[in-house]
Amino acid sequence: DVKVTQSSRYLVKRTGEKVFLECVQDMDHENMFWYRQDPGLGLRLIYFSYDVKMKEKGDIPEGYSVSREKKERFSLILESASTNQTSMYLCASRRTTRRSGNTIYFGEGSWLTVV
Amino acid sequence: DQQVKQNSPSLSVQEGRISILNCDYTNSMFDYFLWYKKYPAEGPTFLISISSIKDKNEDGRFTVFLNKSAKHLSLHIVPSQPGDSAVYFCAASGPLETSGSRLTFGEGTQLTVNP
């Protein structure tokens, strides 16, 4: 079974704080993703990474950065947290072989509240 | 620009009946489609997928239909069970080898199955 682990399930941070959300996958997947989920807006892609040290902006990258120094780990960084970044954050990973298809596997999610 | 759209935010059905969830897309480059199911406070889990070379894929109680000319897909659940109550997300992507291979999600449909 694919395991995508997000280190923090629930966080409360103050406006202006730097926030790190960590994600680790144990299936040697090349691709990793960060999404946020908000009611009525679905899952929106923040950043993704095709492989180690590679990153690409998604649909809503403003206010976020990412780091992928090792294949199994993909970190999302909020440089200066703001209240509009209160959301559920979802990490996901995917193998890129054609046989594995395009299925991505999600972690449990991290609920971030910025006050 | 919402490339994947789920027009019904919610759907309510009786246990034992059929649930039909709909999804429309606009990008003709999409060639792979997936459905995910999400319970509150959990990450989405993969349910079923379909490639654009098919028009139907079935897995137990779940069937996905794809109408490429209409750029429309639907998920049928028969018979519906109370445990199926969740938010269902439709997702689409382009060919795996291209930069369009990231998954684009719809807004989600909340399905409620009443006993």
Side-chain angles (χ1 to χ4, degrees):
Chain A
D1 272 0
V2 177
K3 185 78 173 167
V4 180
T5 304
Q6 294 183 230
S7 57
S8 304
R9 291 300 312 276
Y10 302 95
L11 306 94
V12 179
K13 297 292 181 180
R14 294 194 180 279
T15 300
E17 274 194 77
K18 191 168 186 174
V19 181
F20 293 87
L21 297 178
E22 305 285 345
C23 175
V24 176
Q25 49 94 4
D26 66 355
M27 288 302 292
D28 200 36
H29 286 175
E30 292 84 2
N31 298 172
M32 295 189 75
F33 307 81
W34 275 106
Y35 287 86
R36 63 179 279 179
Q37 184 201 356
D38 300 288
L41 297 176
L43 303 176
R44 295 182 293 165
L45 182 64
I46 305 170
Y47 266 98
F48 62 109
S49 169
Y50 283 116
D51 212 328
V52 180
K53 295 192 187 294
M54 296 175 69
K55 59 186 179 185
E56 197 162 321
K57 292 180 181 179
D59 299 317
I60 50 165
E62 295 78 20
Y64 303 94
S65 62
V66 290
S67 172
R68 183 119 182 252
E69 295 297 316
K70 293 185 178 181
K71 192 173 188 179
E72 68 270 17
R73 188 179 296 270
F74 192 34
S75 303
L76 180 68
I77 303 152
L78 287 66
E79 297 290 341
S80 177
S82 62
T83 54
N84 63 12
Q85 291 179 311
T86 291
S87 186
M88 183 180 196
Y89 290 87
L90 291 158
C91 176
S93 73
R94 176 180 69 189
R95 188 178 296 282
T96 54
T97 60
R98 179 151 286 279
R99 185 169 57 187
S100 65
N102 220 335
T103 305
I104 67 173
Y105 297 90
F106 285 90
E108 293 278 294
S110 298
W111 285 99
L112 172 65
T113 301
V114 182
V115 298
Chain B
D1 173 24
Q2 190 69 23
Q3 297 187 68
V4 178
K5 196 128 183 74
Q6 294 175 254
N7 288 312
S8 298
S10 62
L11 175 68
S12 184
V13 300
Q14 283 299 119
E15 181 177 5
R17 300 286 187 114
I18 184 171
S19 295
I20 300 176
L21 297 101
N22 293 301
C23 178
D24 296 295
Y25 62 96
T26 57
N27 189 338
S28 56
M29 295 299 293
F30 287 151
D31 71 347
Y32 199 79
F33 305 88
L34 307 91
W35 285 94
Y36 282 81
K37 174 180 177 180
K38 186 181 183 300
Y39 294 117
E42 293 183 12
T45 53
F46 170 71
L47 199 55
I48 192 169
S49 63
I50 188 166
S51 162
S52 60
I53 62 173
K54 294 186 173 183
D55 54 19
K56 177 183 174 181
N57 188 28
E58 194 170 350
D59 183 2
R61 296 186 298 114
F62 302 92
T63 303
V64 56
F65 295 92
L66 175 62
N67 183 333
K68 290 185 287 292
S69 60
K71 292 192 175 70
H72 177 84
L73 64 155
S74 60
L75 174 68
H76 293 210
I77 306 173
V78 183
S80 301
Q81 299 173 353
D84 295 329
S85 298
V87 177
Y88 289 78
F89 290 101
C90 168
S93 80
L96 200 61
E97 299 82 6
T98 73
S99 61
S101 66
R102 62 190 208 182
L103 262 65
T104 300
F105 285 83
E107 305 93 329
T109 297
Q110 171 69 56
L111 173 66
T112 303
V113 180
N114 301 302

